[in-house]
Amino acid sequence: MQKRSKSDAIKIHDLDDFSRMRSAGRVAAQILDDITEFVFPGQLTSEIDRQINRMIDDAGATSATIGYRGYQHASCISVNHVVCHGIPSNKRLRFGDILNIDVTVIINGWFGDTSRMYIAGQPNRKSERLIQVTHDALMKGIEQIKPGNTFGDIGYAIQSYVESHRMSVVRDFCGHGLGKVFHAPPNVLHFGKAGSGTVLETGMFFTVEPMVNLGRAETKTLPDNWTAVTRDKSLSAQFEHSVGVTENGVEIFTLSPSDNFFPKVG
Ligand code: MF3
Ligand code: CO
Ligand code: CO
């Protein structure tokens, strides 16, 4: 996800571009399906990243994150109170850990960006609720996407749903336009006012990727300059889809081919 910054003109894509994004999104989503079996208590997050790197290679794709602003890994793996941009490391997952795995691939120059939650073993009731609310918040946001609605409608749907469950939406990071670039305008905020902001138009491509905390919304970035954590150390979750605005509504480019986007428990 993006640090918030000023936005600019939003590119409008044509039908051929939709099919290119479909291919890129499908590869990223398939990798998130296939990584599931490598997530278990005792596993190293660096090993998960190594497997992702191999899968990207096997798919004939390129990692968008390796070399991006000095980042050196094929994924971000954000465990428990890590909000986003967790760096794969030689730390072992422990029973009950919840983690987000975020992968962005490039296929023929087009970017597919998606992330989901995984559980090492079994979640406790609080982490299970957090994962459910975060997933449902993303889908509520996506339901707002159609020409004529606004980016504020997306943010409002996410924020109001999350806050109705007494959880908080992270303000420090947002979704982003993408296509033939990784991070393009606009900033897609996961909070806001209904009816505010830029009007959605057919052909816009962007991500929606809310981060939700069990505690307060504030984050801080660790001295490694990547890892963002909750200031109050509360648990955080995130789901991300890459989408396109269609004439009738929305196309999700990063749907799970095996319908595994929401983690199966047990
Ligand atoms: N995939 C992340 C996003 O959703 C960006 C990761 S950039 C990295 O926008 F360098 F941290 F990998
Ligand atoms: Co993204
Ligand atoms: Co991402």
Side-chain angles (χ1 to χ4, degrees), residues 1-2 65 68 71 76 85 102 104 113 176 182-183 209 226 240:
M1 49 291 357
Q2 271 294 71
T65 55
Y68 177 77
Y71 194 78
C76 297
H85 300 163
D102 190 337
T104 311
D113 185 6
H176 49 91
F182 195 173
H183 292 113
E209 48 180 303
W226 282 106
E240 174 177 25

Side-chain angles (χ1 to χ4, degrees), residues 61-73:
T62 306
S63 165
T65 55
I66 296 174
Y68 177 77
R69 300 187 180 203
Y71 194 78
Q72 294 181 349
H73 308 273

Side-chain angles (χ1 to χ4, degrees), residues 162-173:
V162 167
E163 292 179 354
S164 78
H165 288 85
R166 279 173 271 96
M167 299 180 193
S168 57
V169 174
V170 169
R171 309 290 206 271
D172 299 337
F173 299 91

Side-chain angles (χ1 to χ4, degrees), residues 249-260:
V250 63
E251 175 172 350
I252 301 176
F253 297 125
T254 46
L255 287 175
S256 163
S258 337
D259 201 16
N260 271 331

Side-chain angles (χ1 to χ4, degrees), residues 8-242:
D8 188 0
I10 302 170
K11 185 172 167 54
I12 300 298
H13 299 86
D14 65 22
L15 278 181
D16 289 335
D17 299 337
F18 271 83
S19 81
R20 297 175 177 116
M21 274 303 277
R22 210 168 285 141
S23 308
R26 192 188 307 116
V27 169
Q30 182 70 54
I31 290 170
L32 291 190
D33 280 2
D34 294 344
I35 203 62
T36 309
E37 63 174 294
F38 295 96
V39 177
F40 48 80
Q43 177 67 293
L44 304 169
T45 56
S46 56
E47 174 60 18
I48 296 173
D49 184 69
R50 202 175 68 82
Q51 293 293 339
I52 290 171
N53 207 350
R54 175 188 59 77
M55 291 174 192
I56 292 175
D57 222 60
D58 289 350
T62 306
S63 165
T65 55
I66 296 174
Y68 177 77
R69 300 187 180 203
Y71 194 78
Q72 294 181 349
H73 308 273
S75 61
C76 297
I77 303 183
S78 303
V79 182
N80 293 338
H81 73 299
V82 179
V83 173
C84 64
H85 300 163
I87 300 175
S89 75
N90 292 329
K91 278 221 306 247
R92 289 183 190 281
L93 295 174
R94 304 204 311 187
F95 188 91
D97 281 351
I98 62 167
L99 52 148
N100 174 279
I101 304 180
D102 190 337
V103 170
T104 311
V105 298
I106 314 173
I107 299 277
N108 297 322
W110 291 78
F111 288 70
D113 185 6
T114 181
S115 79
R116 352 174 157 149
M117 296 303 292
Y118 299 80
I119 303 149
Q122 301 276 334
N124 63 34
R125 293 237 285 284
K126 272 182 3 189
S127 33
E128 197 172 1
R129 242 185 100 236
L130 172 65
I131 290 170
Q132 183 80 56
V133 168
T134 308
H135 170 272
D136 294 353
L138 167 63
M139 299 319 290
K140 300 252 174 216
I142 291 175
E143 277 171 23
Q144 290 296 316
I145 301 174
K146 62 173 181 195
N149 274 5
T150 68
F151 282 100
D153 291 328
I154 302 172
Y156 175 77
I158 293 169
Q159 181 185 9
S160 54
Y161 185 76
V162 167
E163 292 179 354
S164 78
H165 288 85
R166 279 173 271 96
M167 299 180 193
S168 57
V169 174
V170 169
R171 309 290 206 271
D172 299 337
F173 299 91
C174 56
H176 49 91
L178 84 173
K180 275 164 73 145
V181 287
F182 195 173
H183 292 113
N187 289 327
V188 180
L189 306 187
H190 304 111
F191 58 94
K193 271 170 75 165
S196 73
T198 304
V199 176
L200 301 172
E201 287 176 45
T202 305
M204 289 179 172
F205 293 171
F206 53 89
T207 71
V208 186
E209 48 180 303
M211 287 139 275
V212 174
N213 300 345
L214 272 183
R216 295 179 55 84
E218 286 74 19
T219 72
K220 68 174 182 195
T221 301
L222 298 185
D224 63 26
N225 280 321
W226 282 106
T227 314
V229 299
T230 54
R231 275 195 180 268
D232 65 5
K233 306 254 172 50
S234 66
L235 285 179
S236 188
Q238 179 180 28
F239 286 84
E240 174 177 25
H241 271 315
S242 296

